[in-house]
Amino acid sequence: MDFNIIDAHSHLWLRQDTEVNDLPIRTLTNGRSLFMGEERQMVPPFMIDGRNSAEVFLSNMDYAQVSAAVVTQEFIDGIQNEYLTEVINKYPDRFFVCGMCEFRKPGYLQQAKELINSGFKAIKIPAHRLFLKEGRIMLNCDEMMEMFHYMEDKGIILSIDLADGDTQVQEMKEIIQECPQLKIAIGHFGMVTTPHWQEQIKLARHTHVMIESGGITWLFNSEFYPFAGAVKAIKEATDLVGIDKLMWGSDYPRTITAITYKMSYDFILKTTEMTQEEKALFLGKNAERFYGFKNLVSLPYIKNMSE
């Protein structure tokens, strides 16, 4: 490959110990977690202590020849700002990390300012988790809009996962109109297997909006490798907004309970439905430009014992 691969959607944590919708999420053993009332295989079973550390991820990245990764956050993992501060200080050339606030109750504007002042260059909103028992938190409410204006002024990236289909698209349109210079990365490829997913993709017709494919192999898991439906969706999104607006993301580590980390992008390398330039842009060059990665490492291919 004559380009560096960058993962635009991944997760790190040392332990899950949180609640979502009053339901507990706790790290167990052998890669399993108590997840909102049931036991789930959260990470591969060989991660017996449940620690989803930067070092384990780097080992996977080095093996798969992935030069760098964007670490996002999700409420189901708990807020990981403290650990991610350690990660970015220790591995600044390998990771770009997103801070996350407690968006489910007022006061997150001040939290965002503190995170930005401490050095975070992006803020993550798991917006699909903002449909609470006590009511929906709107993305265009006053406190959110004030935060977005602050982020725009400071050059901070918004990383956001939206609810299925076009549920929150109108709110996003208002944000983009109000903050046209705000850089936005929309995750999960618009929840591509749900109706009206294309409406999320179309948001990338705006100059500073990008789409990343974190979780696309999970969404097409019923097909399994080589994920022909995912390739077809990437081609459709390319027709809608152009390949220069799309980025690959793995959603590591949850997706590698079903496939290896390398398989989460290898199906792109092997498809004949995309050109070499399209593959290079999707797998790395777009993310390198959008997130401003510098000093990317080039990793050698290490031959497997099974070859």
Side-chain angles (χ1 to χ4, degrees):
M1 294 177 292
D2 59 354
F3 61 92
N4 296 105
I5 298 177
I6 296 173
D7 188 342
H9 188 125
S10 65
H11 299 274
L12 293 174
W13 66 79
L14 296 184
R15 184 172 181 82
Q16 292 177 310
D17 185 8
T18 189
E19 292 185 359
V20 172
N21 296 333
D22 299 323
L23 296 171
I25 301 168
R26 303 282 187 274
T27 294
L28 301 176
T29 58
N30 297 333
R32 300 174 185 174
S33 292
L34 174 64
F35 182 75
M36 301 173 74
E38 64 177 328
E39 192 170 305
R40 299 283 288 272
Q41 194 71 45
M42 186 64 63
V43 295
F46 54 78
M47 295 167 69
I48 58 174
D49 59 2
R51 287 170 61 93
N52 172 34
S53 69
E55 287 72 25
V56 171
F57 190 21
L58 282 169
S59 181
N60 275 284
M61 290 167 63
D62 288 353
Y63 170 75
Q65 296 175 277
V66 175
S67 297
V70 178
V71 183
T72 70
Q73 296 198 53
E74 230 273 31
F75 288 138
I76 64 173
D77 304 323
I79 295 175
Q80 300 292 330
N81 297 327
E82 184 176 354
Y83 179 51
L84 294 186
T85 297
E86 296 177 16
V87 169
I88 196 63
N89 288 335
K90 194 171 183 180
Y91 306 108
D93 294 333
R94 302 300 300 274
F95 295 113
F96 181 103
V97 303
C98 301
M100 186 169 73
C101 310
E102 180 47 272
F103 292 107
R104 294 167 293 187
K105 55 186 179 182
Y108 47 83
L109 171 60
Q110 184 57 38
Q111 294 173 35
K113 289 181 177 181
E114 291 170 2
L115 287 172
I116 292 165
N117 290 337
S118 70
F120 281 93
K121 295 181 173 61
I123 298 293
K124 176 60 182 281
I125 303 179
H128 58 306
R129 303 285 183 192
L130 299 182
F131 296 77
L132 310 179
K133 292 179 181 178
E134 56 270 29
R136 174 176 169 182
I137 298 174
M138 302 297 289
L139 295 173
N140 55 356
C141 70
D142 290 345
E143 188 172 8
M144 283 284 190
M145 294 305 296
E146 188 174 349
M147 182 184 73
F148 295 141
H149 279 293
Y150 185 84
M151 292 170 62
E152 182 185 33
D153 290 342
K154 297 291 184 179
I156 302 301
I157 294 173
L158 169 63
S159 174
I160 189 165
D161 298 335
L162 300 176
D164 292 0
D166 59 355
T167 307
Q168 294 169 306
V169 166
Q170 186 55 46
E171 294 160 64
M172 289 301 300
K173 288 180 178 179
E174 292 185 29
I175 292 164
I176 295 166
Q177 183 177 6
E178 282 284 315
C179 305
Q181 300 304 311
L182 177 64
K183 295 178 70 175
I184 302 172
I186 297 172
H188 294 164
F189 218 70
M191 293 302 292
V192 59
T193 53
T194 63
H196 311 299
W197 66 275
Q198 296 93 338
E199 297 308 306
Q200 290 192 37
I201 304 300
K202 290 175 186 176
L203 291 171
R205 290 174 176 172
H206 296 276
T207 304
H208 298 293
V209 181
M210 300 285 287
I211 305 293
E212 45 95 336
S213 73
I216 198 168
T217 59
W218 150 61
L219 290 163
F220 285 96
N221 183 61
S222 60
E223 289 187 355
F224 205 65
Y225 190 89
F227 304 108
V231 174
K232 182 179 178 182
I234 292 165
K235 292 292 292 179
E236 183 174 351
T238 299
D239 289 340
L240 289 171
V241 298
I243 191 65
D244 61 319
K245 303 293 265 172
L246 310 176
M247 304 181 290
W248 168 69
S250 70
D251 213 359
Y252 174 99
R254 281 179 273 271
T255 48
I256 65 166
T257 57
I259 58 175
T260 68
Y261 182 51
K262 187 172 182 179
M263 287 169 71
S264 65
Y265 75 79
D266 190 59
F267 73 99
I268 298 295
L269 286 182
K270 287 185 167 60
T271 184
T272 59
E273 300 299 312
M274 298 171 65
T275 68
Q276 289 303 112
E277 180 59 22
E278 286 175 330
K279 293 174 184 180
L281 290 168
F282 183 71
L283 291 174
K285 289 183 177 180
N286 291 338
E288 182 178 358
R289 166 179 51 82
F290 184 75
Y291 289 102
F293 279 102
K294 306 293 183 185
N295 305 315
L296 289 170
V297 296
S298 295
L299 298 161
Y301 175 74
I302 304 298
K303 189 175 181 179
N304 285 325
M305 282 297 294
S306 58
E307 292 182 70

